[in-house]
């Protein structure tokens, strides 16, 4: 009887382990699709494939034409043929990254239909997995900045690893950067990052512990993705190359540096436009088919790669240094937000407006109204 019970317990443990592994692989796939989709979105903004378009006297902001995008994918060698391009974009649609502007077509079609990235209209679903992913990406970008020295090559148990951080130092940094108010809160954040497969112990032997143990980010958020990777059903964690986003990075003997980095973390610049723009997105009575009518827009275009207005990068430490040549001012703005990136927000709630700003392009164009002085 005891042997039977032991066998049953072992089988249960095996089943639980298998379930956990499948969940982990699904999180990895989701993260890869999110990064790939975001890199594509930024490229399409930069090349003006995404722009405001009109059809039947209605304006559809920040959208692209399916047929034109397929042409672009083939021209830029992101897809070998039109059938493959359709499959790639359907992957993004299935993950809720893109959608038809009126949500009338679930399948991505090689026709003159309008589609849009959900990050461009504030409808991207921010569930717990996506929130953890976005938090991890923000932390990664901060750690990869030139002035940050937390990520270093280090050795544990006789093996050298690249871009590692020590758990105790990472907790100190999280509190210092305002990412957490206490060490306990910072440690809870690290547990969530581990649960979602964003960070990991260098040899995958330990959970996150406030100690001198070494950890790494499992994902290289800056690695330039090829869209064709979306069709590869093989789990990224099973790829044993340094180019894999989930490969634990041991230090190479020749110390060669990776050159395939591309940042996908946009800096925010907000432009306030004191004008009312008449545009329509919510009223989708028509099918959203492409029209050759010119875009009638009174707003300036949304720039995706604005040059910094600063002469040089300024750190938070410099701004807070006593005697620094910066003056602190308090602004009280009594204005009504009319639209964000061409989308009318007068009748939407605060959370939706905030989501539009947080997930929008690198440059945020806001139209406001204020009371006239008589």
């Amino acid at each position: 009887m005891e042997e039977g019970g032991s066998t049953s317990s072992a089988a249960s443990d095996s089943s639980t382990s298998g379930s956990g592994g499948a969940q982990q692989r699904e999180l990895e796939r989701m993260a890869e699709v999110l990064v790939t989709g975001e890199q594509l979105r930024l490229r399409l903004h930069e090349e003006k494939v995404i722009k405001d378009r009109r059809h039947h006297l209605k304006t559809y902001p920040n959208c692209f034409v399916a047929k034109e995008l397929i042409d672009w994918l083939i021209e830029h060698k992101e897809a070998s043929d039109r059938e493959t391009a359709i499959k790639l974009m359907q992957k993004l649609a299935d993950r809720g990254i893109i959608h038809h502007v009126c949500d009338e077509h679930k399948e991505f079609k090689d026709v003159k239909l309008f589609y849009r990235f959900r990050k461009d209209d504030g409808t991207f679903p921010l569930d717990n997995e996506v929130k953890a992913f976005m938090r991890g990406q923000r932390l990664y970008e901060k750690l990869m900045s030139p002035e940050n020295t937390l990520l270093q090559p280090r050795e544990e148990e006789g093996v050298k690893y690249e871009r590692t951080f020590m758990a105790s130092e990472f907790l100190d940094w999280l509190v210092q950067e305002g990412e957490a108010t206490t060490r306990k809160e910072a440690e809870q954040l690290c547990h969530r990052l581990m649960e979602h497969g964003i960070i990991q112990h260098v040899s995958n032997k330990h959970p996150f512990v406030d100690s001198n143990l070494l950890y790494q980010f499992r994902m290289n958020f800056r690695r330039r993705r090829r869209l064709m990777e979306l069709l590869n059903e093989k789990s990224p964690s099973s790829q044993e190359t340094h180019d894999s986003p989930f490969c634990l990075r041991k230090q190479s003997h020749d110390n060669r540096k990776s050159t395939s980095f591309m940042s996908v973390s946009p800096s925010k610049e907000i432009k306030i436009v004191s004008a009312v723009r008449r545009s329509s997105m919510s009223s989708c009575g028509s099918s959203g088919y492409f029209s050759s009518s010119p875009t009638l827009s009174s707003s300036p275009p949304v720039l995706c790669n604005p040059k910094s207005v600063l002469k040089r990068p300024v750190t938070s430490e410099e701004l807070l240094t006593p005697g620094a040549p910066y003056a602190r001012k308090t602004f009280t703005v009594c204005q009504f937000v009319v639209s964000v990136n061409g989308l009318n927000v007068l009748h939407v709630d605060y959370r939706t407006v905030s989501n539009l700003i947080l997930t929008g392009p690198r440059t945020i164009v806001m139209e406001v109204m204020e009371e006239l002085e008589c």
Side-chain angles (χ1 to χ4, degrees):
M1 293 294 294
E2 291 181 358
E3 290 181 357
S6 176
T7 302
S8 176
S9 175
S12 176
D13 290 343
S14 176
S15 175
T16 302
S17 175
S19 175
Q23 183 181 12
Q24 182 61 53
R25 287 191 294 273
E26 175 59 22
L27 289 173
E28 292 174 357
R29 290 295 303 167
M30 181 203 70
E32 275 298 289
V33 175
L34 288 175
V35 174
T36 305
E38 178 64 1
Q39 289 184 353
L40 176 62
R41 185 182 75 91
L42 293 175
R43 289 178 67 191
L44 296 179
H45 269 290
E46 290 168 357
E47 301 202 17
K48 307 302 181 184
V49 178
I50 294 177
K51 59 185 178 181
D52 294 359
R53 300 175 187 272
R54 283 183 65 82
H55 177 67
H56 287 178
L57 302 180
K58 294 177 182 177
T59 300
Y60 298 87
N62 293 326
C63 61
F64 59 88
V65 180
K67 193 174 185 66
E68 291 181 0
L69 178 61
I70 291 177
D71 292 337
W72 185 92
L73 292 174
I74 295 175
E75 179 184 350
H76 289 77
K77 302 187 185 307
E78 291 289 353
S80 56
D81 51 57
R82 305 191 78 81
E83 182 180 356
T84 301
I86 293 173
K87 290 180 180 179
L88 291 170
M89 298 311 297
Q90 188 62 49
K91 285 280 187 181
L92 297 183
D94 292 341
R95 293 284 183 169
I97 294 175
I98 64 171
H99 69 122
H100 177 249
V101 291
C102 298
D103 291 318
E104 295 178 354
H105 301 272
K106 298 299 182 184
E107 295 182 355
F108 190 85
K109 301 179 180 181
D110 186 6
V111 293
K112 293 180 179 179
L113 280 170
F114 291 169
Y115 289 82
R116 183 187 288 117
F117 281 81
R118 289 190 178 274
K119 283 195 71 174
D120 284 335
D121 60 16
T123 62
F124 192 77
L126 293 177
D127 54 23
N128 291 333
E129 286 77 15
V130 174
K131 287 179 181 178
F133 166 81
M134 294 177 69
R135 190 76 178 274
Q137 182 184 20
R138 186 173 78 243
L139 294 175
Y140 182 89
E141 289 293 337
K142 292 175 72 172
L143 290 170
M144 289 296 292
S145 62
E147 62 269 14
N148 195 295
T149 59
L150 196 64
L151 297 183
Q152 295 287 341
R154 294 181 177 90
E155 183 175 324
E156 185 171 290
E157 296 182 351
V159 180
K160 289 185 177 180
Y161 299 90
E162 297 179 352
R163 296 199 294 275
T164 68
F165 58 86
M166 191 178 297
S168 57
E169 293 181 358
F170 188 51
L171 295 177
D172 292 336
W173 179 82
L174 289 172
V175 175
Q176 178 185 342
E177 289 293 312
E179 295 288 345
T181 55
T182 63
R183 288 184 68 85
K184 183 178 181 180
E185 183 181 324
E187 191 168 359
Q188 291 173 345
L189 170 59
C190 292
H191 286 307
R192 289 199 299 273
L193 294 178
M194 284 202 72
E195 289 172 3
H196 288 86
I198 296 172
I199 63 173
Q200 180 174 309
H201 177 252
V202 289
S203 59
N204 201 21
K205 293 180 179 179
H206 303 280
F208 190 89
V209 183
D210 185 358
S211 63
N212 292 336
L213 290 173
L214 301 182
Y215 296 82
Q216 289 176 318
F217 277 80
R218 296 190 69 191
M219 170 174 278
N220 177 356
F221 289 95
R222 292 184 169 187
R223 183 180 69 85
R224 171 71 177 275
R225 269 72 173 174
R226 300 288 298 179
L227 278 178
M228 290 298 295
E229 294 178 33
L230 295 179
L231 300 181
N232 181 11
E233 296 299 331
K234 188 177 180 181
S235 171
S237 60
S238 64
Q239 299 173 11
E240 297 299 332
T241 67
H242 286 286
D243 201 31
S244 167
F246 294 98
C247 175
L248 289 179
R249 291 178 292 276
K250 295 183 180 181
Q251 191 174 42
S252 58
H253 296 293
D254 56 2
N255 293 321
R256 287 177 295 182
K257 296 182 180 179
S258 172
T259 58
S260 58
F261 274 35
M262 173 181 173
S263 175
V264 296
S265 177
S267 58
K268 292 289 181 185
E269 176 182 316
I270 297 180
K271 291 185 176 183
I272 304 296
V273 182
S274 296
V276 178
R277 173 183 174 180
R278 297 187 179 275
S279 63
S280 169
M281 181 192 128
S282 58
S283 57
C284 286
S286 63
S287 62
Y289 276 87
F290 171 75
S291 170
S292 59
S293 302
T295 300
L296 302 179
S297 171
S298 61
S299 294
V302 177
L303 302 178
C304 296
N305 277 318
K307 294 182 179 179
S308 175
V309 297
L310 300 175
K311 295 181 179 179
R312 63 179 182 83
V314 178
T315 64
S316 57
E317 289 76 13
E318 288 183 78
L319 293 174
L320 298 174
T321 301
Y326 304 100
R328 180 177 299 182
K329 297 181 180 181
T330 301
F331 290 94
T332 301
V333 180
C334 299
Q335 295 174 320
F336 301 95
V337 179
V338 177
S339 70
V340 177
N341 289 335
L343 306 182
N344 191 297
V345 296
L346 283 176
H347 302 290
V348 299
D349 56 31
Y350 169 79
R351 178 172 295 183
T352 302
V353 176
S354 300
N355 198 23
L356 280 171
I357 295 173
L358 292 173
T359 63
R362 298 189 180 193
T363 300
I364 306 298
V365 178
M366 296 176 61
E367 297 175 334
V368 300
M369 295 180 69
E370 57 186 8
E371 186 177 2
L372 296 176
E373 297 182 2
C374 299

